[in-house]
Amino acid sequence: VKRSAVVELLAQVRAGAASVEDAAEILGRSPVGELSYASVDVHRSLRTGVPEVVYGAGKTAEQIVGILQALHAHGQDGMVTRLDAAKAESVRAAVTGTVTWSPEAGVLVSRVGAEPARVGAIAVVSAGTSDAHVAAEAAVVAEALGNIVTRVNDVGVAGVHRILGKIDVLRAARVVIVVAGMDGALPGVVAGLIRVPVIAVPTSVGYGASFGGLAALLTMLNACSPGVSVVNIDNGFGAAYQASLINQLGS
Amino acid sequence: VKRSAVVELLAQVRAGAASVEDAAEILGRSPVGELSYASVDVHRSLRTGVPEVVYGAGKTAEQIVGILQALHAHGQDGMVTRLDAAKAESVRAAVTGTVTWSPEAGVLVSRVGAEPARVGAIAVVSAGTSDAHVAAEAAVVAEALGNIVTRVNDVGVAGVHRILGKIDVLRAARVVIVVAGMDGALPGVVAGLIRVPVIAVPTSVGYGASFGGLAALLTMLNACSPGVSVVNIDNGFGAAYQASLINQLGS
Amino acid sequence: VKRSAVVELLAQVRAGAASVEDAAEILGRSPVGELSYASVDVHRSLRTGVPEVVYGAGKTAEQIVGILQALHAHGQDGMVTRLDAAKAESVRAAVTGTVTWSPEAGVLVSRVGAEPARVGAIAVVSAGTSDAHVAAEAAVVAEALGNIVTRVNDVGVAGVHRILGKIDVLRAARVVIVVAGMDGALPGVVAGLIRVPVIAVPTSVGYGASFGGLAALLTMLNACSPGVSVVNIDNGFGAAYQASLINQLGS
Amino acid sequence: VKRSAVVELLAQVRAGAASVEDAAEILGRSPVGELSYASVDVHRSLRTGVPEVVYGAGKTAEQIVGILQALHAHGQDGMVTRLDAAKAESVRAAVTGTVTWSPEAGVLVSRVGAEPARVGAIAVVSAGTSDAHVAAEAAVVAEALGNIVTRVNDVGVAGVHRILGKIDVLRAARVVIVVAGMDGALPGVVAGLIRVPVIAVPTSVGYGASFGGLAALLTMLNACSPGVSVVNIDNGFGAAYQASLINQLGS
Amino acid sequence: VKRSAVVELLAQVRAGAASVEDAAEILGRSPVGELSYASVDVHRSLRTGVPEVVYGAGKTAEQIVGILQALHAHGQDGMVTRLDAAKAESVRAAVTGTVTWSPEAGVLVSRVGAEPARVGAIAVVSAGTSDAHVAAEAAVVAEALGNIVTRVNDVGVAGVHRILGKIDVLRAARVVIVVAGMDGALPGVVAGLIRVPVIAVPTSVGYGASFGGLAALLTMLNACSPGVSVVNIDNGFGAAYQASLINQLGS
Amino acid sequence: VKRSAVVELLAQVRAGAASVEDAAEILGRSPVGELSYASVDVHRSLRTGVPEVVYGAGKTAEQIVGILQALHAHGQDGMVTRLDAAKAESVRAAVTGTVTWSPEAGVLVSRVGAEPARVGAIAVVSAGTSDAHVAAEAAVVAEALGNIVTRVNDVGVAGVHRILGKIDVLRAARVVIVVAGMDGALPGVVAGLIRVPVIAVPTSVGYGASFGGLAALLTMLNACSPGVSVVNIDNGFGAAYQASLINQLGS
Amino acid sequence: VKRSAVVELLAQVRAGAASVEDAAEILGRSPVGELSYASVDVHRSLRTGVPEVVYGAGKTAEQIVGILQALHAHGQDGMVTRLDAAKAESVRAAVTGTVTWSPEAGVLVSRVGAEPARVGAIAVVSAGTSDAHVAAEAAVVAEALGNIVTRVNDVGVAGVHRILGKIDVLRAARVVIVVAGMDGALPGVVAGLIRVPVIAVPTSVGYGASFGGLAALLTMLNACSPGVSVVNIDNGFGAAYQASLINQLGS
Amino acid sequence: VKRSAVVELLAQVRAGAASVEDAAEILGRSPVGELSYASVDVHRSLRTGVPEVVYGAGKTAEQIVGILQALHAHGQDGMVTRLDAAKAESVRAAVTGTVTWSPEAGVLVSRVGAEPARVGAIAVVSAGTSDAHVAAEAAVVAEALGNIVTRVNDVGVAGVHRILGKIDVLRAARVVIVVAGMDGALPGVVAGLIRVPVIAVPTSVGYGASFGGLAALLTMLNACSPGVSVVNIDNGFGAAYQASLINQLGS
């Protein structure tokens, strides 16, 4: 129950309009008082620019439009990940918000309010061109969450001079997302070069013994450098969300 | 907050001894009102015979005695699983409750109240002699939780006539725990013979390719017969707890 | 051999119409005497409303119709799981029973008798919308087996207040099926809130490192709360069958 | 070099038509003398009825026809496994041998000689209808290799009386092939009932945690009953070949 | 019930000493009539030289002596596998049978009757010296089961000429057990050289990526040569038992 | 080469004391100019309170003392993780720094300078008492790195009210480390309650199917709540390091 | 920075045209001096015949043409692997270089210079016809890199005489690539016969328990013969590159 | 049969001292003629300095001494790997050869001849101090096989400048062995810097999710840089042997 409802109930108790026993029963049935408050807090943050996120892969364009319209009806923005081009086109045609669509990332954002100002500095680094769509998902989501994003592409450890050549960009970031498939070695190398947190994203790119990203995942969990933590395989969204929390800490 | 404390607070509100605002604040900080009530409920059930359960493997005898004495101080019984003989002896010498100790099961029960009456019917079936200690854990825990237990040992599927010869015992049960290592095939065979739920416990017994119980676990999850659900490897306690919930449903 | 046949044979022995040797030979060839009785018992239960279950995934519509018609010819109902819409349409058009079809669950029931009265209370809880079809399979099968089912959808642990808000529904059940993919954490949380058995169903939903449901499966087997047992990945049918056995115990 | 060539060379040495040095050189380059003899032996056996086996899955109809025609040109029969219906039709139309085709097994045999007499007794047992095509591959291959085959279908351990009812058939065999997916428990149960070798074939049939047959494979390797050995997942051909070797031992 | 007991009961029925109803009741309680007969058959075979097998690893010397003495009291021989030297000494000192003990194999045989005549021909081949104890278990068990055994040691594929040099021994066998760790390649090579069944035993010998024998196990299941079937890792006993069944087929 | 050396060389070039060619050669051999500067930077940070970290598990007390003394000789503090009590005692007796030793965490800190002021707020949450030593490692390391740490113990999801009761502590943190074994579900639940990053540490605690922490690891990678990233199994140090980077961002 | 730029900067320092401080700053920002030189070296080697390699699988024909034309514009050759026939045709039609295309290998080479002279001797051995395309990739790439290649096909260990018959070819090579799926046993056998390095390539060919090449991979890593090292599953290109490095050592 | 024996036999045929039939029979029984010649060749190489290698882990000091003395009796050197200090001391005291013993590597060499001259250049690089004993095994074995070895220790990718600082050593080698545990990323980085083959050795060093070296193994197989091939986990010997073959190619 929301705090206002609690206050109202207590007032009724004081006024004798509710018995102590009945009120105790009602309160006993409402274990989520504090959590409802949390929900309110979430709503507030949504109104301040963080869009609700919809996983688009298993949903029809109609379902996605329905969710977005419901969000817009409450004055909230919406974001859809893992959306293919055909469904994106259908959604864009049907929703009332201001739509931006990134085909490389498969991310669509539909806003009813103004886009939030972007703050801080997140670098999104990818090892190879095959990792590009996961890196794009991370970058586009991070921007939509209100972060300034710099992208550094194709700097895998096969030519370690490539990442060294980008060291100024890395050191300018408050948090670095590193996306890598195959051997997944890049996050550990990057973490050894900088002094801010690295969020590592293994991708499912690779020959047979990459086992759908397992090889890269294990590499990252075992990174020799401290300062690396890992999200799920191909989960650019999750990395962006975590990086956004870090980047906006205290801001 | 416990229900009694809620009632007391509400009475103070009614009496004017507490303001509505202060009471709302206090209640707002207590999101676990209902859950505390659940805790009370647990306490009540403990007083009626269900002992608190302590996992003994990583604890010293001193720590275990401390926990048991704390329970006894609140009038509650205690049960310890995965306890070796040396620690059991130390515990028995130090606690004030009435101690029963099953060396085969590694389970010690220390009671301050009377042992609960046992109800219903749980059969604990084991495939081989090597599975005996897991089956014993299941049986002793189930008895301590207030269930009538019948044990059927050494009826593995290598000689399927052995389990067929015990069919009367199986059919007399309300729920059957089946413990098996190696191929783990027994639960599926048993479930095909009876009309009550089977709780399957894989054990880590076996040659190399049992992979610590993985083979038996997968077998049980893939059992051809419906009516089988599975707990963790070697988890006799978990099977007994689940079987006790089922056996005592509605009683 | 059925008991009546045994009696008849023994009478012939007594009467001298059969030799002791011949009778010993006949009895020696009939190891499944008791089990044949079980078969009869199964038949009886089928006549009382439990439909025979057909796994539809690898069968043609023609094969399914054939099986259903054979069941109907013996006065029995039939149920088909994992059936797609096209085959369901073909089956519906061809069978003589009264057909109900759930597209979300992929379950078709064809009855020649009346639908059984539903008893007890099974709650089917799902963590996310992507788990919906597995939860639907569990719910539809449980209803077809004669159980009263309540569904609680989209209460994953990412917002733990959601499941807390449904606690009255959970506590009103005699057994709770919990369906979850990704981290599979919901069954353990639910089991910590209630006092009845939880049947956990991992689903194959998730990003890369869910490994087709393996992550959720392991989570559930390792649930911190006792009172959880697990069925195979995506096996809504198996959970419903087990829950039905539990719900109808002693009824 | 074939034995006849060795004899010829030696005769030339004796006759002085070849120098000792030259002959030593030639023989030194022919390390596979004994093995070539084996090849001759194989050829003989082929003429007596064992067809050469072609794995059809990755080959075009044209390639298969080419291989069969080459075999026929040497007076040999040919057998093709994992062949789909379309390619089978093309092959049948093009080859000169007498073709038999089993759609269920996906096996085509093209003979230029008479079919061999069948000997001994192999039982091919399958657990469920979904395992039927693997069992069919085993049965058809075993027959083509000259063995008398009896099939026992749909006798999974979920109803253990079904396999008990077939015990006479099993005991009449010299070797039993048992095909099972899901829990893979049937071979262990069968081996406990008979006194002849069991060749177990796991199949990739099953819900999620069967992991493409891994569950059944591990079950069979861990079978409680001795007298079980295992071939690869879905490898009906391999089981039939091994069973044929056993069945024809000493015959 | 044993057949003799059935005959006796039937005689009592005929004589009027037992009622038809009582006899039907007694027989109804004995679903394993045929299977008991199997047991009788086993007993007979035991009297003819096949010793009962005890897995010694998890048992005390006292338990093992108890089992052996019980067997001896029924005139039966006993065999114990996975027995260490200390326990073997204790057992030898305490049992009344004629004891033979193989330290390399860890196998003890205690007989009250004469050792059976050995028949047929089993070759036990091992790849390396580290596999020797598993090969020894296979060889000693096979001999104890009444088979003539020839051992071929240290003929791994790293020097393929070694196995080629033993080809006469291999071809003289009716069945060949091949024991190999590390790459597990030897069974496939052997099967390509001979025309009798190969029973492959993977061992847990090897560097890190042998993963406790998993590498060798997978190699053997995927052997290019047909005519290979596989038992569990390090399971020399299982291979010997299967090979004995094959070797004594029809004898 | 360090910057000062570069400056010196350039001055020699300007002064004619070094030729352009020789200087180009020297600089060409020093590809790590920028990186050496990074090293200097690391040294500076070490002097300001971040101790050098030594993994103590595989080292002797003598080796550890040697490393610490070398650090102290350069005016730097040292920290040793995974140190048992015996070695800790030896180290304490031998080093010249001011030693603090946490037996629960297995962490020893030896300082020559003053302990750094602690800043920010890191909460270290553990699910069960068995996870305590990993949580202690995280907490002690985080404090040694200059962070204010609050510990919340024994709040596993089996009783979700326990974590809800600590929500004020969690919300007061800038970053939360969550340590959990068994089902590993706690980080996802925590992340759903707060708005700051969660660093999840799986532990190797659990029954058989926890597979040494694999179950908890997969759960955490698949956490339904965004805002979770994961470090290696039992890696309390790694979590503390990452949390420290986050907590001190911008401070 | 390239060496020439370093020289120029140093000259400016000497001439007073640049300050020591500015030059130190510029050099401090150029950590990859040596590595840029490496790049130059790579370029030189490209001009001498080693084509740049493009992984074609995830790229469009347009992208591939773009990369090749860019290479050609710098006077360099290009090679594309994992290219299907349709894209190869499009590329051939559009690029300006001299194109050779191997459909079996899926490799296209487009040259603007003359093809390099081939040196040394690499043998590419494959176990079965199903491994042919991986072997072809290895062979075509090795030739394009300037090596003389001999192919030996279809010499799997099921008939070990086949590889023995090719021993002269193997012994004439400076390095041998061995490609094998299924049991992956061939590289170990080959390494035992020769005195030069073997590069082993596991392929994803096989029945169920090959697990996508895992079985062959583990076999090769555990090869009994020293002198075997392994590349990724199906990675014919990687084997060819490594073999080329070895073959051209010192040449 | 050796060539000399073949020549002798042929001479007897020519002389009429042996019949053509008998000679054909004898030659037919000697399929390993060519391979025996290989054996001779091996013996020759042993006499020229390559010691026979004994895996010491599972052998007693007495067994090892026996093998070494047998080698010495034939004038050959011997090498023992995986030998602990106690056994090394016993062996040193008992053998007649000139013994060198490396405690760090666990390698003992006992020579009767002079140590071979060392040639070429092998670099052995290790990532961390924990990998040192595997690197030492590789280095000591490589030296014993007659190669000039340079060691580069503790240059893991967590500080990539460390390996860059050793680039001259790496580029001076003809082949580089890279030993790494944890994330196993070093070989890929090294291969990107040099133009000679890299032999990668994963080690079992690491926290939980290294899974005994599996993580490092997969990383290395998936290395982004071509020019890397991999040996078994912790197999320093295997890497040294392969590197020695490469280093001595053509010398």
Side-chain angles (χ1 to χ4, degrees), chain B residues 4-124:
Chain B
S4 58
V6 172
V7 168
E8 186 176 10
L9 178 63
L10 290 170
Q12 291 176 335
V13 169
R14 166 157 290 186
S19 72
V20 165
E21 279 305 307
D22 285 355
E25 180 67 20
I26 289 166
L27 290 167
R29 287 189 180 156
S30 306
V32 293
E34 164 67 11
L35 292 164
S36 297
Y37 180 75
S39 292
V40 173
D41 190 58
V42 167
H43 290 175
R44 180 150 27 103
S45 75
L46 287 174
R47 286 191 308 272
T48 60
V50 183
E52 173 87 3
V53 181
V54 182
Y55 186 80
K59 300 194 178 68
T60 67
E62 290 68 31
Q63 290 174 314
I64 292 167
V65 170
I67 296 171
L68 291 177
Q69 294 296 69
L71 287 168
H72 293 351
H74 290 79
Q76 294 176 19
D77 300 337
M79 176 162 58
V80 191
T81 62
R82 302 286 166 107
L83 194 68
D84 63 39
K87 284 197 281 187
E89 202 45 56
S90 303
V91 170
R92 182 202 289 273
V95 293
T96 55
T98 305
V99 170
T100 54
W101 157 245
S102 163
E104 189 192 15
V107 174
L108 179 150
V109 179
S110 179
R111 294 191 186 271
V112 289
E115 194 177 339
R118 296 185 185 161
V119 300
I122 296 176
V124 177

Side-chain angles (χ1 to χ4, degrees), chain A residues 218, chain C residues 211 214 218, chain F residues 202-204 209-219 233, chain H residues 211:
Chain A
L218 292 178
Chain C
F211 294 122
L214 177 62
L218 293 179
Chain F
T203 71
S204 54
S210 73
F211 294 121
L214 177 63
L217 170 63
L218 292 179
T219 306
I233 296 168
Chain H
F211 295 121

Side-chain angles (χ1 to χ4, degrees), chain D residues 15-16 20 28 43-44 48 63 90 98 116 135 143 145 149 161 172 188-189 191 197 204-205 240 242:
Chain D
V20 166
H43 289 176
R44 180 151 24 104
T48 59
Q63 290 173 316
S90 303
T98 305
E143 287 180 343
L145 295 172
V149 174
H161 60 287
V189 170
S204 54
V205 170
Q242 178 79 322

